[in-house]
Amino acid sequence: MAQIRVFSVLIVLFLSRFAFGQSDDTPAVWNHQVNKISETEYELVFSADIFKEWYIYSLYTAEGGSMPSEFDFEGAGIDYELLGKTIEGKTYKKYTEVFDVEETFFKEKAIFKQKIRLLKPDLKQISITLNYQICKTVCLLQQEVFEISLDGSSFIAENKSVDERSLAMTNALKLDLKNKELLNQGSDSKTSNESSLWMIFGLGFLGGLIALLTPCVFPLIPLTVSYFTKQSKNKSKGITNAILYGFFIVLIYFLLSLPFHVFDSVDSQILNTIATNIWLNIFFFAIFVFFAFSFFGYYELTLPSSWANKMDTASAKVGGVFGIFFMALTLAIVSFSCTGPILGGLLGSTALAQGSVATNLSFGMTGFGLALALPFALFALFPAWLNSLPKSGGWMTTVKVVLGFLELALAFKFLSNADLVGNWGIFKREIFLGIWIVLFILLALYLFGIFRFPHDGPKQKLQFGRKVTGLVSAAFAVYLILGLSNVVHLKLLSGFPPPDFYSIVEKESDCPLGLDCFKDFDEGLAFAKATNKPILLDFTGWACVNCRKMEENVWSDSKIYALLKDDYVLISLYVDDRKELAVEQQFDFQYESGRIKTIETVGEKWGTFQTINFNAASQPYYVLLSHDLEVLNSAIQYTDIEAYEAWLKSGKELHLLSME
């Protein structure tokens, strides 16, 4: 059997390649100004309005902590010289346990001032680049290029200029919003961030329980517990060591999530990256297929055996508490063949869930480690329970195969994301559900002994648990078939398959739930003016799971559906739509900093539209507007039926009052 060594760090580095990509839609709006001091001296002022709850690190944050902001003054020392250090505006300090330092950062407003003296009197323009981190729960690496004219004339770009047509289209993208301050006022709606974290913790815990049943872990339980209870000087010492061993297992799996925080390889923005980057979705698809076939027994995933040998030797040499830690680390390494694909599935689940991937992953990893550690502590406390453990056997191979089918099912979710964003039209809702139906029918057939995989032992009488699992798989396939034929609503899978209107059957409406909607803001605004109705502006995404959940679980409520259908003009703007705009609609968008971004796709247009007008970059994101562009209420995101209904009714009432 071929042995394939898979290192999780490779996946982290692959993800970071995308996470570190620059984005013009950063949660900060930058400006600059030039103050002339004398004929040769100037003061350059750089400022940023930072979105709520985000922050930017200082140039002078503590060494050994997060990456500081850094200016690259192009031409300094040749065209001009810097006079003194860069002066900063108001900053804040906070101790960070991860780095054990007090970090300095900006919130709400960042200001940098730098004085320069010209070495070339005829110098008229300079270019300065700022590299910085902007963070919320975790961080984004960003870059801002300032094209500065010292004499007040227009900056002449070396390679590119914005023509009049692009300038006109740039200005057309900016809205003259009234009551814009309402957008950021707190809403009474409840979000599901906290419940999402506990859901991820529960998924991790469930994954750990499943891992316990695999041949890489299960046989180690009685061996390890017996070691602690028999090798210790007394019973209480054995119990203490076993509990400590369990604690270190939890700690190790928690620590595995820290690189996703420390190296910023995943953050709140990678949710959007994973959901909208076609090649990254295809990469995840390939990885999960690779994991699945390892569970099917065609090859084995292992970390280098030398790692386990070194940890085992260290535990024997060191002894004591550190020895127990190395024993726990040895378990994590030798069980990777079974736990690795499960942890990969956990990573996929956190990427598709609401909130920060890094925070989700920490909760999930902690839940996984806790489930894996519990038996070692419990059986040490109650060693008589060991006699009730089932014997190792072929049933553990069955567990791995079941996991393999689940990995395949998850893999097709990522392939579906790539299809949706790329507008391929291949994996329509019926195709996606059809693939899942085939997978769960095959799983049922395997469990009933109709076919076998390479690592299956001699054919034996089917056990009760295998029969029950087979029936569950068959029942789930029937559930999918009924959902495919619209006999039942697939609430258990809400947000997971492609939306109902993404179908091989031609629909009357290409909007959620058959509602009337506009996918162009100007068209929707014109209709709102003609009908004198308020606007529900829906920033959404083809691959946005929470957008689908809102549509299928909240919008489908009879009261909310009636409000959307009768009282609002729905404008749904897909920020991840990779469909190219017509050539005459493509243009160069110029930010206030002077930086130019080419708008070539539908998603780029509406993503930029959301950022510059609403200072937001996440989806779903809902705004209520009058046809006169008056903001009617605070913006709202993922929420429940009651809060969403109250929000819509409030907006409707405010619109009626504004008409009186």
Side-chain angles (χ1 to χ4, degrees), residues 4 14 86 114 118 138 147 153 220 237 257 269 278 332 342 347 410 487 494 502 576 632:
I4 302 176
F14 185 90
T86 303
Q114 176 65 57
L118 302 187
V138 284
E147 311 286 15
S153 61
L220 298 178
K237 183 66 174 177
S257 71
Q269 287 297 311
I278 293 175
I342 298 174
L347 174 60
L410 184 59
V487 175
S494 178
Y502 192 70
D576 61 357
L632 299 174

Side-chain angles (χ1 to χ4, degrees), residues 433-495:
L433 292 176
I435 291 172
W436 270 36
I437 289 168
V438 170
L439 287 176
F440 284 96
I441 288 176
L442 288 174
L443 174 56
L445 292 176
Y446 168 78
L447 292 169
F448 290 134
I450 306 301
F451 68 93
R452 303 163 63 75
F453 283 105
H455 58 7
D456 284 318
K459 194 168 184 179
Q460 297 177 349
K461 182 180 178 181
L462 295 181
Q463 298 175 336
F464 175 76
R466 184 162 174 161
K467 290 179 181 178
V468 170
T469 309
L471 288 172
V472 170
S473 180
F476 188 66
V478 171
Y479 172 73
L480 293 174
I481 292 171
L482 294 175
L484 185 60
S485 56
N486 293 320
V487 175
V488 299
H489 178 53
L490 299 177
K491 285 195 173 182
L492 291 176
L493 297 177
S494 178

Side-chain angles (χ1 to χ4, degrees), residues 6 37 41 59 61 84 95 156 163 214 220 222 225 240 275 336 370 375 402 417 428-429 497-498 543 570 594 615 652:
V6 180
I37 300 173
E41 292 186 5
L59 297 170
T61 190
Y95 174 75
I156 302 174
D163 57 27
T214 61
L220 298 178
V225 172
T240 301
F336 180 80
L370 181 61
V402 171
N417 282 351
K428 296 291 183 78
R429 183 178 176 88
L570 176 61
N615 289 353
K652 177 184 173 182

Side-chain angles (χ1 to χ4, degrees), residues 29 59 88 101 157 297 304 330 355 457 460 463-464 521 562 604 647:
V29 179
L59 297 170
E88 297 184 334
V101 297
T330 302
Q460 297 177 349
Q463 298 175 336
F464 175 76
F521 180 78
E604 288 174 341
W647 180 73

Side-chain angles (χ1 to χ4, degrees), residues 62 104 121 243 248 278 289 318 329 410 423 483 506 555 622 631 655:
T104 307
I243 293 175
F248 282 136
I278 293 175
V289 170
V318 176
L329 190 56
L410 184 59
N423 287 289
E506 188 172 343
W555 287 15
Y622 305 109
V631 178
H655 180 257

